[in-house]
Amino acid sequence: EICFVPDGDYAHFIEENSGRKIPEGNFVWEDGRVIGKHKGITHYTIGQRKGLGIAARTPLYVVSLHAGKNRVIVGSNDDLFRSGLLANELDFTDGTPPSQQFRCLAKIRYGIRVHDCTVTLDDHGRAVVKFDEPQRAITPGQSVVFYEEDRLLGGGTIMKAL
């Protein structure tokens, strides 16, 4: 629930509450080429454009974060679009999902509209969500919420974009 930090300074909150300094790292293209230094991975979010401090011919966006390698992956706005996601920590309002595979509307972020998709549940308690149209900036750790028209079906936590 880091979105609710009162002053919006998530990086400072994390450093202060974890008791450790978040190290600088590299900005890289998806192919691994280093193009600059970042001030600590906690300062960035997928889809971010402003505040990167990288000079480029075209606008750059944060496409993904690789915490294990302390890398911020950058690319174009087009690189932010994905056709699906994998979610876990599923919870359904009726206690069980409608079926192993079902059509519904899904929302991946507050303030955007819902989108048509197909949800397929696997044997490990996860959902593969395939959108009819690619979605921008699907972000691990955020929620995906499922609806049937205006009725809440349930949701889960996004593990990764597909």
Side-chain angles (χ1 to χ4, degrees):
E1 302 304 327
I2 194 80
C3 296
F4 299 104
V5 172
D7 65 1
D9 189 351
Y10 313 117
H12 180 263
F13 178 86
I14 291 169
E15 284 186 359
E16 190 171 279
N17 287 281
S18 70
R20 64 185 186 99
K21 173 101 172 95
I22 306 302
E24 294 180 349
N26 291 322
F27 282 115
V28 299
W29 293 110
E30 287 193 273
D31 66 7
R33 288 179 291 146
V34 175
I35 61 168
K37 287 281 190 194
H38 66 69
K39 57 187 176 184
I41 202 166
T42 56
H43 290 269
Y44 307 96
T45 187
I46 295 173
Q48 180 178 339
R49 175 178 174 217
K50 295 184 178 185
L52 301 182
I54 304 171
R57 290 187 177 126
T58 59
L60 293 178
Y61 297 83
V62 174
V63 174
S64 64
L65 301 170
H66 291 228
K69 294 183 177 182
N70 194 23
R71 291 182 171 178
V72 175
I73 312 305
V74 296
S76 72
N77 185 58
D78 290 346
D79 295 329
L80 289 169
F81 287 85
R82 299 287 191 267
S83 61
L85 63 86
L86 180 65
N88 65 355
E89 299 176 343
L90 303 174
D91 193 17
F92 292 93
T93 56
D94 290 342
T96 58
S99 61
Q100 281 299 111
Q101 184 175 68
F102 57 95
R103 294 279 301 162
C104 67
L105 300 167
K107 192 171 190 173
I108 59 168
R109 182 172 27 270
Y110 175 79
I112 66 166
R113 66 180 183 86
V114 293
H115 297 278
D116 292 310
C117 67
T118 301
V119 177
T120 305
L121 304 177
D122 69 14
D123 295 333
H124 305 287
R126 302 176 303 193
V128 175
V129 180
K130 292 290 185 181
F131 292 99
D132 291 2
E133 297 175 16
Q135 300 300 301
R136 185 181 186 277
I138 296 172
T139 305
Q142 297 290 329
S143 295
V144 58
V145 183
F146 308 126
Y147 297 91
E148 184 176 64
E149 295 181 17
D150 60 353
R151 180 177 162 257
L152 175 66
L153 295 175
T157 301
I158 298 170
M159 295 173 65
K160 67 179 181 175
L162 302 173

